[in-house]
Each structure stands twice: as C-alpha cells, then as structure tokens.
Amino acid sequence: RGGGGVEAVMLCSGGTKVKDYLCKGKRLTKLVDFGLKAEGVEKYGFAVIICNLCVSVEDLRREAFRDKEFSEEQYDKLLEMSKQKDPNEEKEMDPEANVLKRIRKVVQLNGVRSLVKNLDGGEMIATALCRMSIDQESRGSIIQQGGLTAAIQLSSLEGKAGKSAAHALAKLLVTTDPAMLRSEQLFGAIKPLIKLVDDHESSSLQCFEALLSLTNLAGGEGKGSVAQGIRSVAYAMFSDHDLVRRAATECMSNLLPHEKALEHFSIAEKMRIWITFARDFKGDFETARAAAGGLAMSLHEHPVKLSFIACDDGFTTLRELIESGNLELMHRAFVALKCLLTDNDVLPDGVDYADLKPRLEVAAEETRVYDVLEAFFKNGDAIVNGSGGKGGLGEGARP
C-alpha cells in the first residue's frame, strides 16, 4: 500500500512476465481491493496497471504506430541498421488468449467496480474499459459492475479520454440486448456513438463498431433517438472502407419505418444511392442485401414510390435481384415490387397520386419485370435451381 508502491508496480506492469506474475495467486485480488479504496494518484496508478493487464505488447506497438508515417517493420529495420537492436533478439510474446484470460480474471474479481468507483484519472479508466470490452464474454459483467454508466459519463470529456469512452460504449453495445438496459443507459449512449461516427478523426474501426451498436439500439426503443443522427449515419455510407459503408447501410435500414428515415428515402438523390448499392450484389453482397432490405421496407410510402420511379434503373435493379437466384435478394425484391404495384395505400389528404399507378406499370413493362414474374410463378423452382440438366438463374449464386 502507498503511492510509491503503486508507482513501482505501474512502471513495470507493461512487461508480460509482470502481468502474469500479478495474475497468480491472491495478488490480483489484493490489487482490486486496493483499487476500491484508492484515490487521486493511487487511483491513476491502479487504472494504468489494469490498462496494461488488458492489452498485449503487440497491440501496444500497433497502437503506437497507427498514425505514424512508417510501419513497425520499418522501425525495427532502422534500429537494426543503427545497431540499436539485435536482429536475433526474440520478441516478447503475449498471445491474445492470455490477454482474454487476464481480462476475465479482472472482471470476475469485480475489477471494473473498483476501476469506476471514482473517475479520477478519467483517460486511463476510459482506455481500460475500452480494452476490457474486446472480450464479448465479459461485456455483460462489465455493464453490471458500472462500466457502461462510467463510459457514458467519461464520453463527455474532450480529446482522447472522451473518444476512448465512446469506443468502449461501441464495443459493449454491439452484442448487448437493448431491452436489458435501463432507459438512462440506452438513451445516454446514443449521442456519444453518433458523435464518434460524425468525427472525421475517428478510425475506421471506431466508426464501424459505433455503427454496429447504433444498428442494435435502433432495433428497439432507441430508434427515435438514433434517427436524430441520421445525417451522420447517411454520410458514413460514402466511406472508403467497405465495412463502414455496409454498417451504415444496415443502420439506415434498421431505422425504418421512422419518419426521418422515410424522408431520407423520399429524396430521389438518396434513392439512387440505395438502388446503386442494391445492384452491386456481385461486388458486395452484404451491402446489397441491406440496401435491398431498405427498399423493401420503405416503398409502401407514396413519396418513396415517387422517388423510386424518378430513378431510371429502379425496376431494372429489382429485375436483376430476382434473376440473381439468391433467395434473400429475391425475397426483398418481391416485397419491394408488391409495395410498388399495389394500390391499396392510404393517400395523404390533399395529395393527388392519380397518375402514379400508370407510371409504375409503364416502368415495370419497359424493364421486363412482368416477364420475369410470369416465368417465376410458372416454374419458380426451376428458375432458382435449374432443371433438365441446365443451370437456373441462381446457378453459382445461391447461398
């Protein structure tokens, strides 16, 4: 006990052998008990030790080089050339399995409760929570011990502390059932997640995991709050990173049928993006599936129908989805067509859509949709599977 003792352990806790030593016997139990009473400098030291236990040497190196102009390999080569490093020196190994084992032990001993008892040293606490949250098995316990609530509070801080806390929220909420959260946890987490997506300095990983969490939260009572950030989510659909683009598309689809999402689909410029994504099922199937789902869930609204038929390749895209032979894409395309070609919708007061149905029928006729439908319902199984020794429409494309 004592600031000097904590400082000594903190300074050497980055080494793999020291981490393993701390996790043996009753040492970690004593450390967690100490953290529960620690304040000020002692609390900061405790947070640093927990941070180090929850990460490997290799991960720390990757973090250190993430925004640098040269890679780890180039740096090691420079050290060797300057004779500051022995090329035969063995690297200190700390496998991921060992890291997960340490995280689980810290969590099992109520280490998160000790960590968030008070939030002195906010940045290190946020970093520790973020590192712990990589373990899906521990996420429920981290939330129960106050980790989620602490991350929400810390996310309001500026700089790295706030961003690390928001990233911790993103990791924790990817797999957590929103129905299990208290209302203040559910709604308190949404704003920091949207901010993380909106921040142009966020990494692709941070943005991707934040979008996954927002998609999860939008599936329940959080839909309305997530919809307030629809511009940020829609902008992420233009990301250069395919996983971010896909996650943003899935999140937008999950916001339906919220009125803000339907407003988005009612703009022809936005609709063209969804049609383009849906059409690219050979290049990016998952994103195309999400985009086709968005079309299927939005085309029951007349303003969305108008924006759809304003796009030249809308019906052509639905025809191609049907002809793909992939059952998931076909199902979504058929639902979209059903919405488009039925006239039993309730028309808004004062709005005349009398010419909508003829325009839809002309577009459908010109793009051979009716021919595809007729062929499908005559012999749907043969179209999908092939018959008489010949491949069907979905040859090589079925899941």
Side-chain angles (χ1 to χ4, degrees):
R1 171 118 185 142
V6 174
E7 184 177 345
V9 177
M10 177 186 74
L11 291 173
C12 63
S13 62
T16 302
K17 291 181 179 178
V18 176
K19 295 176 191 177
D20 292 340
Y21 175 82
L22 288 173
C23 289
K24 289 178 181 176
K26 298 289 186 180
R27 298 184 186 99
L28 191 56
T29 303
K30 292 179 180 178
L31 180 64
V32 169
D33 290 342
F34 167 78
L36 195 60
K37 304 169 185 175
E39 295 180 357
V41 175
E42 290 183 350
K43 181 57 183 289
Y44 178 83
F46 171 72
V48 171
I49 295 168
I50 297 298
C51 258
N52 288 335
L53 288 175
C54 298
V55 70
S56 68
V57 175
E58 294 91 333
D59 285 336
L60 282 176
R61 280 174 61 85
R62 279 192 286 270
E63 286 180 15
F65 284 94
R66 187 166 292 157
D67 299 319
K68 299 296 186 294
E69 295 180 358
F70 46 87
S71 65
E72 296 177 61
E73 292 76 15
Q74 290 172 322
Y75 179 73
D76 289 338
K77 195 69 178 176
L78 285 171
L79 290 180
E80 288 178 19
M81 291 171 64
S82 62
K83 298 183 179 179
Q84 296 181 50
K85 179 179 180 180
D86 183 354
N88 299 317
E89 179 185 346
E90 291 187 8
K91 284 187 176 180
E92 187 176 10
M93 301 303 293
D94 191 11
E96 182 182 357
N98 286 1
V99 178
L100 294 178
K101 190 183 294 185
R102 292 197 298 265
I103 290 172
R104 288 167 189 170
K105 192 163 186 179
V106 170
V107 174
Q108 287 167 5
L109 293 171
N110 285 324
V112 178
R113 199 180 305 280
S114 295
L115 186 69
V116 302
K117 179 84 174 357
N118 62 65
L119 299 181
D120 294 342
E123 182 177 328
M124 294 312 301
I125 295 173
T127 303
L129 289 171
C130 190
R131 290 176 178 173
M132 284 182 187
S133 301
I134 65 169
D135 181 33
Q136 183 174 339
E137 185 180 305
S138 298
R139 288 173 186 165
S141 297
I142 292 171
I143 293 173
Q144 289 174 1
Q145 293 178 37
L148 181 66
T149 301
I152 291 171
Q153 294 172 351
L154 291 169
S155 67
S156 62
L157 299 177
E158 295 295 326
K160 186 179 177 181
K163 185 167 285 189
S164 293
H167 195 191
L169 290 174
K171 290 179 182 293
L172 287 170
L173 294 174
V174 168
T175 54
T176 300
D177 182 358
M180 303 300 292
L181 301 175
R182 300 194 304 272
S183 58
E184 63 268 23
Q185 292 176 321
L186 174 63
F187 296 111
I190 291 173
K191 187 176 179 180
L193 291 173
I194 293 172
K195 184 179 178 182
L196 192 62
V197 172
D198 202 36
D199 189 346
H200 70 278
E201 294 185 353
S202 294
S203 68
S204 294
L205 177 63
Q206 290 172 330
C207 194
F208 172 66
E209 291 184 327
L211 285 165
L212 289 183
S213 288
L214 287 170
T215 302
N216 184 29
L217 298 179
E221 294 182 6
K223 190 185 296 288
S225 295
V226 175
Q228 302 307 311
I230 195 168
R231 289 186 180 180
S232 300
V233 178
Y235 184 74
M237 291 176 65
F238 294 95
S239 171
D240 293 333
H241 199 291
D242 56 347
L243 290 178
V244 173
R245 193 163 57 247
R246 182 181 308 161
T249 306
E250 291 173 346
C251 186
M252 288 291 294
S253 295
N254 228 29
L255 285 174
L256 290 164
H258 192 275
E259 59 182 15
K260 284 188 174 291
L262 290 172
E263 287 174 10
H264 171 90
F265 278 84
S266 299
I267 301 170
E269 275 184 18
K270 311 291 187 186
M271 176 59 76
R272 287 189 183 94
I273 297 167
W274 286 83
I275 292 172
T276 301
F277 280 14
R279 199 170 190 177
D280 188 31
F281 56 87
K282 292 181 180 178
D284 187 348
F285 172 78
E286 288 81 3
T287 302
R289 179 178 59 191
L295 295 176
M297 291 188 288
S298 63
L299 282 169
H300 62 282
E301 291 286 326
H302 278 281
V304 181
K305 289 181 182 181
L306 289 174
S307 72
F308 182 86
I309 62 174
C311 303
D312 296 336
D313 53 353
F315 274 97
T316 302
T317 297
L318 294 183
R319 174 174 58 79
E320 291 177 0
L321 292 174
I322 294 170
E323 291 178 333
S324 72
N326 182 282
L327 298 183
E328 291 182 279
L329 296 178
M330 293 172 72
H331 175 246
R332 287 159 174 77
F334 278 131
V335 172
L337 277 171
K338 179 184 176 184
C339 292
L340 284 164
L341 301 177
T342 53
D343 56 0
N344 58 350
D345 304 285
V346 178
L347 298 178
D349 294 336
V351 179
D352 183 13
Y353 287 114
D355 66 333
L356 177 59
K357 188 176 180 181
R359 288 161 66 188
L360 287 169
E361 289 178 344
V362 169
E365 188 70 39
E366 288 178 350
T367 53
R368 292 179 40 245
V369 167
Y370 288 139
D371 293 343
V372 175
L373 288 174
E374 184 179 358
F376 180 83
F377 287 113
K378 272 186 178 179
N379 197 353
D381 189 61
I383 288 176
V384 176
N385 299 314
S387 62
K390 296 181 180 179
L393 291 171
E395 186 179 18
R398 282 194 68 165

